[in-house]
Amino acid sequence: MESRKSLQFLVLSICVTLVLVVTWVHLPSSPNKVFLDCTLSSAWCSSKNRIQSSTKPNNLIKKPQQSSSTTQHQQHDSDVPHHPLDPLTVQEFNKIHAILAAHPFFESVSKYTLNTVSLEEPDKELVIKWKRGDPLPARKASVTAMVKGKSHFLTVDLNTDEVSIDEKSSVVSGYPTMAMEEMVGVLDVPLKSIEFNRTISQRGVNMGDLACLPISSGWYDLAVEENRRLIKVQCYSKKDTVNFYMKPIEGLTVLVDMDKKEVVSISDNGRDIPIANGINTDYRYSVQKLNGDFRLFNPISLEQPKGPSFTVEDGHLVKWANWEFHLKADARAGIIISQVKVRDPETSELRSVMYKGFTSELFVPYMDPTDAWYFKTYMDAGEYGFGLQAMPLDPLNDCPRNAYYMDGVFAAADGTPYLQPNMICVFESYAGDIAWRHSECPITDLKVTEVRPKVNLVVRMAAAVANYDYIIDWEFQTDGLIRAKVGLSGILMVKGTTYDHMNQVPSQEYLYGTLLSENIIGVIHDHFITYYLDLDVDGSDNSFMKVNIKKQETLPGESPRKSYLKAVKNVAKTEKDAQIKLKLYDPSEFHMINPSKKTRVGNPVGYKVVPSGTAASLLDPEDPPQKRAAFTNNQIWVTPYNKSEQWAGGLFVYQSEGDDTLQVWSNRDRPIENKDIVLWYTLGFHHIPCQEDYPIMPTVSSSFDLKPVNFFERNPILKLPPNFKDDLPVCKAHDSS
């Protein structure tokens, strides 16, 4: 019994809910009570950037200030929505909980799970027309639920208490995002199996050292998958290290029926593979510092004596420099940025750039077809909930001083709300970069040097999806550019092996990865992150224009040059015209333009997506994981705006068969010229692990930009002033004696 308690505690901490930060409490049925306890504290996250609980909610969060006091989190039980897109409040969650508990659909069953509960956003037209001070459109909630082993999608009207059930769940495959309690609940199931316990004992692992993970099983059109929700459990030893990922019990896989809570089968193909010793794999500073100080640079910090230059109004409206946007946490997407507007320096008008942007889906396939690995093809947003996996950010390390922190409030499996503290941070970033510059060369005899500093605003979240950490940044620049950036860190998912040196590996044997240390292989895998980008460039009706860069050969006698580059513009008429695979030797620019809005000299205003380093999926299109993740078949897609088409892998991703994906929607080939359209972009990484990734990975990043193209009449930061010495703070150096 004691071993089970130990296992449960470890699982709760690794399944993306820090036990010391958020305590899971199931509340009484009364909708008036909610548990919002938090013990996370930091000298740099203070009451000055966290609203205190009061009967009269504050409408303006002032610029965060430095403080040496302990953190005091906002008590969200008094929150009220101020904007049509504001997330559901604690009071609203409790009301939804009460409405559903009393509804005949749920009253008639003894057990059900509310997998997701989130705001059903009002129609886009209503949100765009809404002005501050207007009454809010009707507040509704979208709910996905598992009832009697079936998926259901419901809408709850908070004004009328009416519940409507959408029958879409009966025509598409798959199940909703797993609730955290479901993930934790399946981990007890193997312990009830005599065969499992015997196997663990035979492997020489004490039950008190056992650490297990719930692993989504994918879909492979197998008979065992029919009409049942399955999950696989694999285990590790945490003996002598917190980094149990480096000590897999290789080849042992337990297939569990999630709804019946019973073992379907146990596979053990790794009896001869030793468990790695895990020596020197503990990455904690408290352990590493025992080996001596390793400081490579003096402490560094961005100091802002006057405070940051941004404000957060009504808890969600961010205003900084020439930018304004709505920001909220979401259980599935993580961060949602909405109604993004930039101020035109010529007219002082706030102009629309993007209605909504967020991470729609992730696809992480491992490249090992063997029994214990073939199914590891994760879709982290739709299966696990990207926002549910978000960790409380660490002040001073995840985010600098003067960062503002935003909490997430989500629903547990029974509908009661809980707090995800410090889930998002907002801060200004200055790294010595240059916004623009020019020095006149000596031959002109003009002594001119003009340089402007580059300061950006960053919105950040870090999600720890078991072993991997994803750092998601939205970066806003004063020149009108938006950068979406993904950083990968955390710990590799590794495979146990009998080999402890490459000279033992037969030349004909393929390892499916890299031998990182004795008895450990880092398996090759990919990461794909697909973004939903509802660009509304100066209005909703836009067109997608592909600007091909072609080699043009000169005519005989036309020029001493034989060739030059020519820009050839083509406006996409239908969706298939906008299915884009990036090609290095067929370069193009990709513009989202407003054909009805022109600059002074007649160019259509627009924004362009600028790819950075990325990767494409090389899997067979008919491979079941790739069918489910068909949204990665292209790097760029453009679809007509449809409120129901937001999740690239479909509404129900878990064990889906690929029948409700971005690929399926786009293949309808609907008209997209001068329409309200959505651009989708997939950022990709191929990862061949190396020894530098062991035992924890240095962050590797990639990004893409949304850049204005003929949106402004001229450089929008031409008037930006330079830094002057007298304007900057004077910091006294620390006494070195």
Side-chain angles (χ1 to χ4, degrees), residues 163-177:
V163 178
S164 59
I165 301 175
D166 189 338
E167 296 304 324
K168 179 180 181 180
S169 54
S170 64
V171 297
V172 296
S173 64
Y175 299 102
T177 303

Side-chain angles (χ1 to χ4, degrees), residues 276-324:
N277 58 37
I279 294 174
N280 295 326
T281 60
D282 196 321
Y283 48 83
R284 292 173 296 175
Y285 179 66
S286 59
V287 174
Q288 291 299 318
K289 71 179 181 180
L290 298 177
N291 298 321
D293 188 38
F294 188 65
R295 186 171 291 280
L296 299 178
F297 51 85
N298 292 329
I300 186 170
S301 177
L302 173 65
E303 303 301 327
Q304 296 177 284
K306 296 181 180 179
S309 304
F310 66 89
T311 58
V312 182
E313 296 180 8
D314 296 332
H316 296 283
L317 184 63
V318 180
K319 294 183 177 181
W320 174 78
N322 48 349
W323 287 102
E324 179 178 305

Side-chain angles (χ1 to χ4, degrees), residues 210-252:
L210 194 65
C212 296
L213 290 176
I215 300 175
S216 56
S217 58
W219 169 81
Y220 293 90
D221 199 18
L222 304 174
V224 71
E225 298 170 330
E226 189 171 351
N227 296 322
R228 66 197 310 183
R229 198 164 53 127
L230 301 172
I231 194 165
K232 296 193 176 183
V233 176
Q234 292 187 330
C235 300
Y236 305 77
S237 169
K238 60 185 176 67
K239 183 181 180 182
D240 299 327
T241 180
V242 70
N243 194 348
F244 60 86
Y245 297 102
M246 294 298 119
K247 295 171 66 73
I249 304 173
E250 188 56 48
L252 177 62

Side-chain angles (χ1 to χ4, degrees), residues 107-133:
E107 269 192 328
S108 62
V109 295
S110 59
K111 185 179 180 182
Y112 60 86
T113 300
L114 303 183
N115 297 78
T116 61
V117 182
S118 59
L119 177 73
E120 172 72 23
E121 294 184 355
D123 289 343
K124 183 175 178 179
E125 295 79 7
L126 293 176
V127 176
I128 291 173
K129 290 178 182 178
W130 182 86
K131 304 295 181 187
R132 189 168 183 170

